[in-house]
């Protein structure tokens, strides 16, 4: 450090303090949209109009019909650390409003030209606040109840900050995203969004479902929705069907007690919930709303309040992951669950209420499940199947559920009418035609059977292996001993940094390095309280087994065999996707066929 130019320590001037504080909160026009929109919502607005010029850099105006600010409080509103939301530390701990730091208006005023026109319900007229030189002046003005705030020339006095802003189109994009995001949790409020005088979009008051479909642009048919309670935590989810997912992550939203946040741990929990059903590196669109007591989450971690800290992160992680997983585990042909405030996730389908269950292909041709351990097929009636394939008609009754009447509503995937190119099964149901990729579908059916039945049996080791670990991992081993035993690892703690491994999962015998797998699992358990890595390793092995055992393309199936596969799909969780996340079946409705042939036109 160069001491030749030592400067004395001085207190910063007010204007500079405000500009530095503004830097924490105001990054770009979208930050202003966030702060002002949150203030309007906190003021009880039901109708809000946002109007921007030059992406909000030159001018940004927000008009609301909320409670308004009394004339004698207008100057206070733009004073730093002045807020109507909290008065004590207890208030801060239980804060439910959006804006509460008392920074936003002062910060905006320090980096732009700000004016506020506001009127409360009882005031005879509106009042307008604007800067006159270094002071604020308040004067009577025209205007209805509510508040209009105008922000012009953002960073006009701070050219160094202004040059970090991007193009008009980029800044406008950020503003639109921010506005849509904040309105997710408030479906009862109308928002009009204008740019250069043109209406870009409008969110109309309606149900939460409508607002979410509009915001993340997903049709109702492609959404899986439901609510689950996990102790004091309630998780409500709107999830895009895995087969509809694309490559973008910008439509993934978390709401905590109605506040939009970013959180890497929650994103990881959702990813793990989708783990078994997503194809490649696709990204689903979703909204996940968590409700939990305010004292279990700290929203004041970050000046922009977009990050939070949970009191029990592991419990939240598990709750989100389980909710996502159970919502995605509907069986083939079922639509999404309705919003179910009771917290039960019964699945409603267009064909009546059906519970997904892990049924086996009763009486399936043993060849259809070749390679799977015969004992796994407990419940199947091999006698019936073999006699059927010898052409014994009396066995048909135990096989085919009902005569193939296409109008029946009991079987969403309908009844087989033939096979196409040795790859696809064609079936008809009450809606039209169903096309099934037989290898992909059978692969998923087998995979789910294996998962349900091949719990990870442990294989005792002749000699225990001593594994050296860090203290956090040893603690996790002690804490999660039962869970690890369920996965086939029998562990006893020898000291603060080593454990003895007495058995490993049977599937791992003669395969990958069991010690390495254990290390990864323990480090994951220490962080999230979840042993997903173990689960994934196991599932990968089972998926490979299922793939090798599934019926191959070009294998000619009889109609009863095809029907057996359709019935098994209806009873199998996640049967809408194969093990690699691709769809296993697709409907072609009669309407589409009628259009194709110009019927009724």
């Amino acid at each position: 450090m160069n001491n030749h130019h030592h400067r004395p320590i001085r207190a910063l001037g007010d204007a500079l303090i405000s500009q530095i504080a503004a830097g924490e909160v105001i990054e770009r026009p979208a930050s202003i949209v966030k702060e002002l929109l949150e203030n309007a919502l906190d003021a009880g607005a039901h109708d809000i109009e946002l109007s921007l010029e030059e992406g909000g850099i030159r001018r940004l105006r927000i008009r609301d019909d909320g409670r308004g600010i009394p004339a004698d409080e207008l100057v206070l509103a733009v004073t730093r650390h002045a807020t109507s939301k909290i008065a004590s530390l207890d208030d801060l701990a239980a804060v439910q409003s959006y804006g509460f730091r008392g920074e936003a208006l002062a910060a905006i005023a320090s980096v732009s030209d700000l004016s506020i026109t506001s009127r409360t319900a009882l005031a005879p007229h509106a009042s307008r606040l604007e800067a006159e030189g270094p002071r604020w002046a308040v004067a009577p003005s025209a205007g209805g109840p509510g508040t209009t705030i105008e922000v012009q020339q953002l960073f006009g006095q701070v050219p160094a900050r202004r040059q970090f802003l991007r193009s008009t189109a980029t800044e406008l994009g950020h503003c639109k995203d921010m506005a849509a995001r904040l309105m997710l949790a408030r479906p009862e409020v109308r928002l009009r969004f204008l740019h250069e005088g043109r209406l870009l979009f409008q969110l109309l008051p309606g149900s939460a479902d409508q607002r979410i479909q509009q915001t993340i642009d997903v049709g109702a048919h492609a959404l899986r929705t439901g609510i689950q309670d996990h102790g004091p935590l309630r998780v409500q989810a709107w999830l895009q069907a895995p087969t509809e997912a694309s490559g973008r992550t910008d439509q993934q939203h978390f709401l905590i007690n109605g506040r939009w946040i970013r959180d890497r741990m929650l994103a990881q929990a959702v990813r793990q919930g989708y783990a078994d059903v997503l194809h490649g590196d696709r990204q689903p669109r979703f909204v996940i709303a968590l409700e939990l007591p305010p004292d279990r989450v700290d929203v004041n971690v970050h000046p922009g309040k977009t990050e939070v800290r949970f009191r029990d992160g592991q419990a939240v992680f598990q709750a989100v992951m389980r909710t996502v997983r159970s919502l995605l585990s509907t069986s083939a042909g079922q639509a999404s669950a309705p919003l179910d405030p009771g917290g039960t996730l019964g699945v409603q389908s267009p064909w009546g209420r059906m519970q997904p269950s892990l049924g086996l292909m009763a009486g399936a041709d043993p060849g259809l499940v070749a390679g799977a351990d015969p004992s796994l097929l407990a419940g199947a009636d091999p006698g019936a199947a073999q006699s059927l394939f010898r052409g014994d008609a009396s066995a048909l009754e135990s096989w085919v559920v009902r005569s193939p009447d296409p109008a029946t509503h009991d079987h969403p995937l309908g009844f087989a009418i033939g096979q196409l190119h040795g790859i696809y099964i064609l079936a008809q149901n009450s809606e039209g035609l169903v096309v099934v990729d037989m290898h992909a579908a059978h692969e998923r059916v087998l995979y789910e059977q294996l998962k349900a039945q091949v719990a990870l049996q442990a294989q005792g080791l002749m000699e225990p292996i001593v594994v050296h670990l860090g203290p956090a991992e040893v603690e996790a081993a002690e804490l999660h001993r039962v869970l690890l035993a369920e996965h086939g690892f029998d562990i006893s703690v020898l000291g603060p940094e080593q454990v003895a491994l007495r058995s490993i999962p049977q599937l791992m015998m003669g395969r990958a390095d069991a010690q390495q797998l254990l290390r990864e699992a323990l480090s994951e358990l220490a962080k999230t309280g979840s042993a997903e890595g173990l689960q994934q390793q196991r599932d990968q092995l089972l998926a490979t087994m299922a793939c090798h055992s599934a019926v191959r393309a070009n294998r000619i199936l009889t109609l009863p065999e095809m029907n057996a596969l359709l019935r098994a799909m209806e009873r199998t969780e996640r049967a809408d996707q194969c093990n690699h996340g691709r769809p296993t079946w697709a409907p072609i409705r009669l309407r589409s066929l009628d259009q194709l042939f110009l019927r009724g036109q």
Side-chain angles (χ1 to χ4, degrees), residues 352-467:
R353 209 167 175 80
M354 313 190 320
Q355 286 303 323
S357 69
L358 265 167
L360 289 165
M361 285 168 65
D365 167 14
L368 262 182
V369 278
D373 175 350
S375 65
L376 291 178
L377 296 176
D381 175 1
Q386 277 145 12
S387 56
L388 172 66
F389 293 115
R390 286 196 304 273
D392 178 351
S394 66
L396 233 146
E397 282 312 296
S398 68
W399 235 86
V400 178
V401 190
R402 193 171 295 132
S403 62
D405 167 14
T408 178
H409 283 270
D410 290 357
H411 297 297
L413 297 183
F415 290 93
I417 48 179
Q419 205 175 0
L420 183 66
H421 286 289
I423 297 172
Y424 300 104
I425 292 172
L426 303 180
Q428 64 172 328
N429 66 5
S430 55
E431 306 263 307
L433 182 68
V434 172
V435 183
V436 177
D437 178 335
M438 68 185 198
H439 172 75
H442 191 224
E443 193 179 5
R444 170 62 81 177
V445 168
L446 288 181
Y447 175 43
E448 294 294 338
Q449 286 170 13
L450 286 167
K451 280 203 306 193
Q453 312 219 352
V454 183
L456 282 182
Q457 292 98 346
Q459 175 77 48
L461 297 170
M462 306 284 277
E463 286 282 308
I465 304 173
V466 175
V467 187

Side-chain angles (χ1 to χ4, degrees), residues 40 120 163 195 203 220 324 339 418 424 454 527-528 551 553 587 590 598:
T120 58
Q163 64 194 25
H195 187 245
L203 296 172
V324 170
L339 283 183
Y424 300 104
V454 183
K527 284 197 196 95
T528 63
V551 58
L590 275 176
L598 308 179

